[in-house]
Amino acid sequence: MAELEQQRILKTAIPGPRSLELMARKTDAVARGVGTTMPVFAVAAGGGVVVDVDGNSLIDFGSGIAVTTIGNSAPRVVAAVQDQVERFTHTCFMITPYEGYVAVAEQLNQLTPGDHEKRTALFNSGAEAVENAVKVARTYTKKQAVVAFDHAYHGRTNLAMALTAKSMPYKHGFGPFAPEVYRAPLSYPYRDDKLIDGELAARRATNLMESQIGPENLAAIIIEPIQGEGGFIVPADGFLPALAEWCRSNNVVFIADEIQTGFARTGAMFACELFDVVPDLIATAKAIAGGLPLSAVTGRAELMESVHVGGLGGTYGGNPVACAAALAAIETIKAENLVTRAGEIERIMLGRLHRMQAEDNRIGDVRGRGAMIAVELVQRDTTDPDPGLTAAVATVAREKGVIVLTCGTYGNVLRFLPPLSISDELLNDGLDVLADAFSAT
Ligand SMILES: *Cc1c(COP(=O)(O)O)cnc(C)c1O
């Protein structure tokens, strides 16, 4: 396919007439529980743009929720998928295995933090990886309780819902939830008392675990090193290492959910590296395979090997086309130095957003790492969340052709997840639109 013009182009109002027609069909055919951020239907995407059915070219600040981190239809992924799809599409790895799955496991064992011996198992979605990480931790420790944190998001299956913090829309009406899940306080520098540093915040959490659960009952803690849906919350320095240390001393498995932060997104291959923590198990998905559905649990060999033969798996887990895509995606990250590129994007975005903040005190906090950057919006001269302003700014930016997402427990965070293939020009144009949207609201 021809290269897409790397420019924001508005040919119609957003949404245009063809998107509106398709939205009407969607309303009649698709369950309304499946919502859409923008009523705009895509026909092509690549570099830093998404082209819609009306010929508009939108700047992509979402990457399909941190999935197309290397860019949409990245050339190596396209070639690898085409080659694999012509040879075979499925045999089921649990029946007649194939090399691609093993090669992805080898890559993940090598690339994830820590130089200990590791094993990997592949699945389809992030939620499935989370569920399987907990299965492994429970088998290994012969304990049952699991701790997740305030503002956490771990997916939509039953156990993952229990681990997820926010009720609306993820849990509302869907209970009962899996038992033996407990919630601990997070380190949230913008909202924590200024006296609470990372180590104190960790002690606040471990005190709760000791008094309310007891380490002898606790199989694992699961944590996003930088929270995704919860609001791109970067914990205070020292928080994650102190938690990891407490886990080590108490035979509690430390599970890093790097489903959103993984694969170069944060300016490191994995966000745990930014905080100098080595997790026992790491769950990955989203950007792992350039847009194809794949997820993984990678971890210490002795943990992963504690599960009986046949205890882990699934019909599609580690599908050969998805594995081919994953190998190509990893090759792209290395060949195009995308870890470095994420750092450049961080510098551009933080610089401009801090300047916007200096002129607008509704921007309470600017935070994030790499190409995972957010602003938390508040009522003027307070720290009270302003979800209304957040929605209004997002709407104006979207109408001007920039795909922006919101997040946060209070719905007051604008989050930016541009693909690492975006040009500086597009990035700056998107930030101009954002600055205008703040002025206009
Ligand atoms: C998206 C996400 C999940 C769930 O992944 P799915 O593929 O949607 O099941 C879990 N954890 C985090 C941190 C995520 O961002």
Side-chain angles (χ1 to χ4, degrees):
M1 204 174 109
E3 292 253 316
L4 298 174
E5 199 179 340
Q6 294 300 303
Q7 263 206 328
R8 181 168 59 99
I9 302 166
L10 298 182
K11 293 194 171 155
T12 68
I14 306 286
R18 297 217 46 220
S19 276
L20 285 173
E21 271 169 44
L22 285 165
M23 271 313 280
R25 277 173 59 195
K26 182 218 170 232
T27 303
D28 289 342
V30 179
R32 75 181 182 131
V34 185
T36 52
T37 299
M38 289 179 70
V40 165
F41 280 73
V43 287
V49 297
V50 174
V51 178
D52 77 6
V53 285
D54 293 288
N56 300 298
S57 182
L58 313 175
I59 298 180
D60 186 5
F61 274 8
S63 298
I65 318 185
V67 169
T68 52
T69 297
I70 63 166
N72 235 302
S73 298
R76 288 180 185 81
V77 169
V78 171
V81 164
Q82 283 172 343
D83 178 61
Q84 178 59 45
V85 85
E86 281 172 9
R87 285 186 294 121
F88 64 96
T89 48
H90 175 84
T91 58
C92 187
F93 190 77
M94 301 181 301
I95 300 177
T96 52
Y98 36 88
E99 185 180 348
Y101 187 120
V102 177
V104 171
E106 287 167 347
Q107 286 290 325
L108 291 173
N109 293 347
Q110 198 216 325
L111 291 170
T112 50
D115 50 14
H116 49 276
E117 196 177 340
K118 296 175 202 150
R119 298 286 186 276
T120 288
L122 300 181
F123 306 96
N124 304 292
S125 67
E128 219 185 332
V130 164
E131 296 243 357
N132 279 280
V134 172
K135 283 190 200 175
V136 170
R138 284 178 169 159
T139 310
Y140 177 75
T141 58
K142 302 188 173 64
K143 299 189 278 188
Q144 293 187 349
V146 182
V147 160
F149 285 78
D150 285 336
H151 314 288
Y153 182 84
H154 297 293
R156 296 177 183 262
T157 55
N158 189 265
L159 175 58
M161 271 195 296
L163 295 167
T164 291
K166 193 175 179 176
S167 174
M168 195 57 143
Y170 306 122
K171 305 168 76 163
H172 175 74
F174 298 150
F177 304 111
E180 284 307 309
V181 171
Y182 300 84
R183 194 157 312 280
L186 184 76
S187 162
Y188 191 161
Y190 178 63
R191 297 202 169 274
D192 277 342
D193 188 303
K194 295 300 166 247
L195 296 172
I196 299 188
D197 63 9
E199 279 184 37
L200 271 179
R203 207 168 317 142
R204 186 169 63 180
T206 56
N207 282 345
L208 179 146
M209 296 187 233
E210 283 170 5
S211 60
Q212 297 185 21
I213 308 160
E216 61 284 6
N217 302 308
L218 182 57
I221 71 167
I222 180 163
I223 189 161
E224 302 153 80
I226 297 174
Q227 275 194 341
E229 310 299 304
F232 284 23
I233 302 165
V234 184
D237 283 344
F239 177 70
L240 292 170
L243 281 182
E245 180 55 40
W246 183 87
C247 286
R248 239 186 325 276
S249 317
N250 288 285
N251 186 32
V252 172
V253 176
F254 184 100
I255 305 172
D257 178 345
E258 290 235 24
I259 289 166
Q260 190 153 158
T261 49
F263 299 98
R265 171 58 60 186
T266 64
M269 195 63 180
F270 295 99
C272 279
E273 298 165 31
L274 300 172
F275 304 99
D276 264 326
V277 282
V278 176
D280 300 309
L281 298 176
I282 176 166
T284 54
K286 289 200 164 95
I288 191 174
L292 275 81
L294 185 72
S295 69
V297 179
T298 301
R300 293 187 187 281
E302 66 271 25
L303 267 85
M304 295 296 290
E305 301 292 47
S306 67
V307 178
H308 48 279
V309 174
L312 302 176
T315 306
Y316 292 111
N319 168 272
V321 182
C323 284
L327 293 170
I330 290 166
E331 195 193 321
T332 302
I333 292 171
K334 293 177 182 168
E336 297 182 2
N337 295 318
L338 293 182
V339 171
T340 307
R341 178 63 188 149
E344 293 165 6
I345 290 173
E346 172 182 321
R347 273 190 296 284
I348 294 171
M349 295 201 88
L350 287 184
R352 294 216 37 193
L353 292 168
H354 277 130
R355 264 176 274 148
M356 287 186 217
Q357 184 187 30
E359 288 167 14
D360 190 340
N361 68 6
R362 298 172 303 174
I363 302 180
D365 195 26
V366 176
R367 59 177 177 249
R369 295 284 186 277
M372 182 172 184
I373 302 290
V375 290
E376 177 159 357
L377 305 187
V378 293
Q379 320 266 354
R380 265 185 212 293
D381 302 316
T382 73
T383 56
D384 299 342
D386 196 339
L389 171 67
T390 311
V393 171
T395 299
V396 172
R398 289 169 192 157
E399 285 168 357
K400 297 261 173 62
V402 180
I403 301 173
V404 289
L405 310 179
T406 61
C407 66
T409 297
Y410 318 109
N412 67 326
V413 179
L414 284 174
R415 58 166 154 176
F416 312 114
L417 293 160
L420 304 178
S421 52
I422 197 169
S423 66
D424 286 1
E425 292 71 26
L426 269 184
L427 192 61
N428 278 308
D429 186 29
L431 289 163
D432 289 342
V433 169
L434 198 73
D436 290 347
F438 272 106
S439 310
T441 40

